[in-house]
Amino acid sequence: MKTLQLSAATVPTVRKINFSPVVLILAAILLVLIIPPAAYLVASSLYTTNFDGSFDQFTFQFFADLLRNPYFLRSLMHTAVYSLGSACVGIVLGTVLAIIVERTNTPGRKYAFLGAVISLAIPHVLYTVAWLMILGKSGPFNQMLKAIFGASAPTFDVYSLPGMILIEGVGFVPLTFLMMSAVLRSTDAAFEEASMMSGAGPIATFWKITLRMGMPGVLALLLLSFIRAFESFEVPAIVGLAGNIEVLSTSIYQSSRATTPPNFGQAGAYSVCLLAFLACLLYFYGRLSRHAHRYQTITGKGYRPRVIDLGRGRYASMLVLIAILLFVIGLPLAIIVFVSFKPFFGSFNVASLSRWTLKNYATVIGPGFFRSTLVNTLVLGTVTASIVVPFTALCAWLAVRRKPAAWVLDQLATAPLTFPSIVMGVAFLQVFVNLPFPFYGTLTSVIVASAVAYLPYGMRYAYAGVLQIHSDLEEASTASGAPQMQTFIRIVLPLLSASMISCWLFVFLLAVRAMSLPLLLVGPGSSLVAVSLFDLWQNGQVTELAAMGTVWVALMTCVSGCFYLVARRYRILTA
């Protein structure tokens, strides 16, 4: 009888997979926060709903009704036109601003960064209302057009698709400026100088050199702006619905909030479609970003940023810079402050100055609804940022240091980015109303949803911060006998303090200015500033809205100023 001997090479080996206990705990927390909203969202589109919120029968009827509904295709077309137009307006103005700041010696150009950061203090709903006051029938813009052309009726109808595109596009300018500045800053200006020395003018140099070198960044920014407009809610809800122009985000709101009883199945079907469209757009955005290395121009061979001396033309560019900043930030803020002193909303003229009053501010600052709203919003921003920042710092550290299976944390923490805010609101609404205890409508429920929504922003900040820390310090701590968590707390966190402070302020500003996410989640005792501003506009309380917005912007400007100083101190922004 022969003995069969197997060599070591032929024996199948089982690969041992190591999991860090900390990674498992964090992954479990992320799964609990992300999976239920997504599952309830899909289920709501596939099941009928009972009066108590429970699911009943499986059906594809909601999707079938959606595809047969002619309003769906019209809504989709409106969404595409509105998104593309807004993205183009924002990129054109933002690129002009970025070129002036990054490529010329225009006096005072660095203050553009301060203006862009201060714009974070303005809730988008307040910004939209400000432009409606400017461009409305009785606004100064139409009054000026009537005086010029002698028309008896308003010349420009803001409650139209062009009006929506203009307001949303102008609102994108600070974001596009900051991102285009980063693109231009990472492009070697020597190519542009060579073009101009060869006889090409500034415009030809921009079209043939600057634009082509920055094409990946421009296309990525165009796609990102398109995505942001695709999922936006404030402008479509305030401007579009009044003009009978519906987009996908407002269709979701109409189905889940504006109908009685709420049609959660239809809202779920709309949400799933919007989520699918957005996931496809984000896929192409990721592919575009991955191929950006083909256009690299900065090497180690004597690169340094350069600016173009405009000579006397720098004063003309300064006027353009001031005009854009006033148009984007100064004008909307000025109109809000002006209206806040009026006893009632009406036409804009010199005679109305004699009727100025402080009663609106007395209503806002005094005890009652407005004060509790301010407190709730500050609590929301503070708690949300305080949860997101340390949690994502730990996740990012484990992912960057390639701990076993820690890459899952990066993927899970970034997943909420694919959810539009209004869709995430619908998803968490489904979760909260089906819990066995009362949770829907509380401030805690809004905090939970906000923390999940802003995990990707905290993850990107922390990830970039950890990449700048060399692992030698952590290895020295480990060699000295310190456990993993002690190393993170005593070594990593102090070194991450700059990024964490900046991230905390940024998440705070995002949380307190958001409207579309908490709109479907707030209750009587959890009112927030952005949602209250929306309700005040819906109720026609324009002067109280302006006073409340002015007080809030003043408070948040202080926070934005702190964010700017921290970002400038640690060179997160170049200013």
Side-chain angles (χ1 to χ4, degrees):
M1 186 175 179
K2 296 182 179 180
T3 303
L4 182 63
Q5 296 181 348
L6 297 176
S7 64
T10 62
V11 177
T13 58
V14 178
R15 184 178 178 182
K16 184 179 179 181
I17 301 177
N18 296 321
F19 290 96
S20 168
V22 179
V23 173
L24 286 177
I25 294 173
L26 295 176
I29 294 173
L30 288 171
L31 287 173
V32 169
L33 292 173
I34 296 171
I35 296 300
Y40 268 101
L41 180 68
V42 175
S44 66
S45 66
L46 297 174
Y47 287 88
T48 58
T49 307
N50 296 318
F51 287 103
D52 60 354
S54 60
F55 295 123
D56 189 11
Q57 297 179 352
F58 180 84
T59 179
F60 286 107
Q61 187 64 38
F62 298 117
F63 287 100
D65 292 342
L66 202 67
L67 295 177
R68 287 196 297 263
N69 189 351
Y71 292 103
F72 173 69
L73 295 178
R74 189 175 69 175
S75 174
L76 184 60
M77 183 187 68
H78 287 163
T79 305
V81 174
Y82 160 70
S83 302
L84 182 60
S86 303
C88 292
V89 171
I91 286 179
V92 169
L93 292 177
T95 300
V96 172
L97 199 59
I99 291 175
I100 292 174
V101 171
E102 295 294 337
R103 282 291 187 260
T104 69
N105 61 339
T106 301
R109 64 189 184 277
K110 297 302 181 183
Y111 290 106
F113 286 101
L114 177 60
V117 173
I118 289 177
S119 69
L120 293 174
I122 310 174
H124 200 47
V125 58
L126 183 65
Y127 192 83
T128 303
V129 168
W131 276 107
L132 284 181
M133 295 177 184
I134 297 170
L135 303 175
K137 294 180 180 179
S138 59
F141 181 71
N142 268 311
Q143 289 182 1
M144 181 183 67
L145 291 181
K146 286 194 289 185
I148 294 175
F149 299 105
S152 57
T155 306
F156 179 74
D157 181 15
V158 67
Y159 297 101
S160 60
L161 200 56
M164 293 172 59
I165 290 172
L166 177 62
I167 295 174
E168 189 71 27
V170 173
F172 281 159
V173 171
L175 172 68
T176 55
F177 159 66
L178 291 174
M179 297 190 70
M180 279 303 301
S181 294
V183 171
L184 294 175
R185 202 178 306 129
S186 60
T187 304
D188 196 344
F191 295 94
E192 299 164 6
E193 293 179 356
S195 172
M196 296 185 73
M197 290 178 63
S198 301
I203 297 179
T205 298
F206 170 76
W207 283 108
K208 295 183 178 181
I209 305 296
T210 307
L211 191 60
R212 293 189 179 184
M213 287 194 300
M215 187 56 66
V218 173
L219 292 177
L221 182 55
L222 177 63
L223 188 54
L224 179 62
S225 300
F226 183 88
I227 292 171
R228 283 178 58 88
F230 204 87
E231 66 174 3
S232 67
F233 176 75
E234 288 85 349
V235 172
I238 298 175
V239 183
L241 290 180
N244 199 26
I245 300 172
E246 200 165 306
V247 298
L248 290 180
S249 59
T250 52
S251 298
I252 295 171
Y253 171 74
Q254 294 282 81
S255 300
S256 58
R257 189 68 176 265
T259 59
T260 304
N263 192 341
F264 291 125
Q266 188 181 63
Y270 269 113
S271 299
V272 170
C273 291
L274 181 57
L275 185 61
F277 287 133
L278 189 62
C280 294
L281 293 173
L282 286 172
Y283 169 75
F284 287 112
Y285 175 74
R287 290 198 60 179
L288 191 62
S289 300
R290 284 196 297 270
H291 291 88
H293 65 278
R294 300 177 181 177
Y295 291 78
Q296 291 173 348
T297 59
I298 296 178
T299 65
K301 300 178 180 179
Y303 164 77
R304 69 180 189 275
R306 299 178 178 90
V307 297
I308 300 173
D309 186 3
L310 296 179
R312 294 182 179 179
R314 67 184 183 275
Y315 298 109
S317 63
M318 182 180 68
L319 293 177
V320 174
L321 175 67
I322 294 174
I324 294 177
L325 291 178
L326 288 177
F327 180 67
V328 174
I329 302 172
L331 189 58
L333 287 179
I335 203 73
I336 288 292
V337 174
F338 181 83
V339 172
S340 68
F341 289 105
K342 299 182 68 173
F344 54 86
F345 181 67
S347 60
F348 295 86
N349 48 52
V350 179
S352 63
L353 296 177
S354 61
R355 296 190 295 268
W356 274 20
T357 178
L358 295 175
K359 289 183 179 180
N360 298 318
Y361 287 96
T363 303
V364 171
I365 300 174
F369 174 76
F370 293 119
R371 182 179 291 184
S372 63
T373 299
L374 293 175
V375 172
N376 286 341
T377 309
L378 292 174
V379 171
L380 168 67
T382 302
V383 177
T384 300
S386 300
I387 292 173
V388 168
V389 172
F391 184 84
T392 53
L394 179 57
C395 292
W397 176 63
L398 294 171
V400 171
R401 295 298 180 244
R402 300 185 182 278
K403 303 297 181 181
W407 60 270
V408 176
L409 300 178
D410 187 22
Q411 299 297 319
L412 289 175
T414 310
L417 195 63
T418 60
F419 283 78
S421 297
I422 190 68
V423 172
M424 183 163 287
V426 172
F428 274 104
L429 171 66
Q430 293 287 343
V431 174
F432 295 154
V433 298
N434 284 283
L435 290 176
F437 52 89
F439 193 64
Y440 170 72
T442 63
L443 185 60
T444 305
S445 68
V446 183
I447 291 173
V448 171
S450 299
V452 174
Y454 301 122
L455 283 174
Y457 301 95
M459 195 67 182
R460 290 306 99 197
Y461 261 96
Y463 204 97
V466 175
L467 285 175
Q468 296 176 345
I469 302 175
H470 202 280
S471 60
D472 286 351
L473 297 172
E474 301 161 36
E475 293 171 359
S477 174
T478 303
S480 301
Q484 187 180 58
M485 289 307 299
Q486 187 176 356
T487 298
F488 174 75
I489 295 173
R490 303 190 63 179
I491 303 296
V492 178
L493 283 183
L495 296 173
L496 276 177
S497 59
S499 294
M500 291 180 66
I501 293 173
S502 180
C503 178
W504 192 97
L505 293 169
F506 184 66
V507 172
F508 176 88
L509 289 169
L510 289 179
V512 299
R513 75 196 296 261
M515 186 196 79
S516 53
L517 174 62
L519 181 63
L520 300 176
L521 303 177
V522 295
S526 57
S527 56
L528 301 173
V529 168
V531 178
S532 297
L533 292 173
F534 179 71
D535 291 337
L536 289 172
W537 176 259
Q538 297 287 87
N539 297 332
Q541 298 172 267
V542 181
T543 54
E544 290 90 341
L545 178 154
M548 188 177 186
T550 301
V551 172
W552 182 250
V553 169
L555 289 174
M556 290 304 100
T557 299
C558 298
V559 180
S560 298
C562 294
F563 174 69
Y564 173 78
L565 293 176
V566 171
R568 182 180 179 183
R569 169 67 177 82
Y570 295 100
R571 297 184 180 181
I572 299 172
L573 286 176
T574 299

